[in-house]
Amino acid sequence: MPWSPMPDTTGPAARGHEVRGNTRRPGRLRIGLVGAGRVGAVIAAALREVGHEVVAASAVSDASLARVEALLPGVPIAPPDEVVRAAELVLLTVPDDEIAAVAAGLAAVEAWRPGQLVVHTSGRHGIAILADAATPGIVPLAIHPAMTFTGTSMDRARLHDAVFAVTAPPGMLPIAQALVVEMGGEPIVVEEWDRPAYHAALVHGANHVVTAVTQASAMLARIGIEEPARVLGPLTHASVDGALREAPGAVATLTGPVVRGDAGTVAAHLEALARQPEALYAYRAMARVTADLALSGGRIGPAQYADIIATLGPDAPLVAGDTDTEA
């Protein structure tokens, strides 16, 4: 098995640190955490709760040290190479753009060993980034939870029933799936080449919703509405719930002036947003896509579509440094 116990002669236990849980159930792993960010610390805590042994964690910032103390009490802090040497499964939970460099740096100091499980939680990347940067013979696993994290204990409950995208080498997929199931999640298989598209979909469907709601809230606040959330909350929840129920073909849930072919109202919106360039740019872009969906779904006809597109006008790029010039 890839996680067969190996003696640790260099890690925290050998250096006199206390290591919890010397007696482990069969199939339990010694886990090392490299990067105690919001995701990594929670994942490590979840695996610890089901009997795995978190032997060490690397943390530098005050926030990371606080997460280890709160979510992984008693786990010693150690340099990344010592964390790796002490572990059978390594959680390499660093930012996406740092995965390759950190993995390669650990390879340069010969911290990895063949048969070691190495997990990253990036949505964008599959396993190639680990296989290329780390030592040959490791078992790379990509396990991405499709949820947001606060880096606190409240995230643990949210892992239950969360979907995790898993990518693994041939024959190793059951290992990644089992880890997800142990945490209470639901694994779905995403192929290596589909990871960027998978992650783009999540960002577009979640992060960009936050951007749109933030802009809409600012528009309402600008006209003196003190609690924009009370206005937007019911409407936003109903819209998102409806879209999810009908996904991926949610044309029936579209509402608003574009799907009514009301070009005059769209023109009024553009005029109202003229001095808010960022919101205007976003409104135009999303209104065009909405018009495309409405036309393809039969909500508006070609003539109405043409009127809407003409009203929206050319999609001039937002110039860096553009700001709201309202006095």
Side-chain angles (χ1 to χ4, degrees):
M1 298 288 285
W3 56 72
S4 298
M6 298 181 66
D8 172 25
T9 59
T10 58
R15 296 170 64 244
H17 292 294
E18 178 185 358
V19 175
R20 296 168 57 95
N22 291 326
T23 302
R24 290 180 295 160
R25 302 198 313 270
R28 302 300 87 185
L29 304 172
R30 293 200 307 268
I31 294 176
L33 175 62
V34 177
R38 294 183 178 185
V39 178
V42 172
I43 297 296
L47 292 172
R48 191 189 204 192
E49 286 181 14
V50 295
H52 297 289
E53 177 189 357
V54 181
V55 294
S58 69
V60 177
S61 70
D62 291 342
S64 295
L65 291 168
R67 285 190 202 101
V68 173
E69 183 177 355
L71 297 173
L72 300 167
V75 171
I77 303 297
D81 63 316
E82 294 189 8
V83 173
V84 171
R85 291 189 177 102
E88 295 157 353
L89 182 152
V90 177
L91 292 172
L92 187 60
T93 50
V94 297
D96 289 9
D97 290 347
E98 297 178 16
I99 293 173
V102 173
L106 289 166
V109 296
E110 300 181 346
W112 304 114
R113 60 177 180 269
Q116 197 169 33
L117 298 174
V118 185
V119 176
H120 75 67
T121 57
S122 166
R124 166 193 169 192
H125 293 294
I127 57 174
I129 193 168
L130 290 176
D132 293 344
T135 299
I138 66 160
V139 180
L141 304 174
I143 301 177
H144 176 258
M147 62 170 284
T148 58
F149 284 78
T150 63
T152 65
S153 58
M154 73 173 61
D155 294 337
R156 179 64 192 97
R158 297 169 65 194
L159 288 180
H160 286 282
D161 299 323
V163 172
F164 289 68
V166 297
T167 306
M172 296 300 173
L173 190 59
I175 297 174
Q177 293 170 319
L179 290 169
V180 171
V181 170
E182 282 192 313
M183 290 185 283
E186 177 186 350
I188 61 169
V189 178
V190 177
E191 299 293 349
E192 179 80 19
W193 51 86
D194 287 331
R195 297 284 294 208
Y198 154 81
H199 196 231
L202 267 58
V203 169
H204 193 48
N207 299 58
H208 293 172
V209 169
V210 174
T211 301
V213 171
T214 299
Q215 288 187 335
S217 298
M219 294 176 202
L220 293 175
R222 188 180 301 277
I223 62 172
I225 294 177
E226 295 182 357
E227 297 183 59
R230 293 188 63 186
V231 178
L232 289 172
L235 177 63
T236 302
H237 286 298
S239 298
V240 171
D241 289 345
L244 291 173
R245 282 195 305 270
E246 300 293 332
V251 176
T253 65
L254 288 173
T255 62
V258 170
V259 298
R260 294 193 298 268
D262 191 348
T265 298
V266 171
H269 292 174
L270 298 178
E271 183 178 357
L273 296 174
R275 301 179 74 178
Q276 302 172 50
E278 291 181 355
L280 176 62
Y281 183 81
Y283 182 100
R284 275 181 163 149
M286 294 307 297
R288 284 190 178 87
V289 177
T290 301
D292 291 342
L293 289 174
L295 177 64
S296 64
R299 297 292 301 279
I300 57 175
Q304 292 173 306
Y305 175 82
D307 285 346
I308 293 292
I309 295 301
T311 300
L312 289 170
D315 190 13
L318 185 66
V319 177
D322 277 349
T323 58
D324 185 355
T325 57
E326 184 175 8

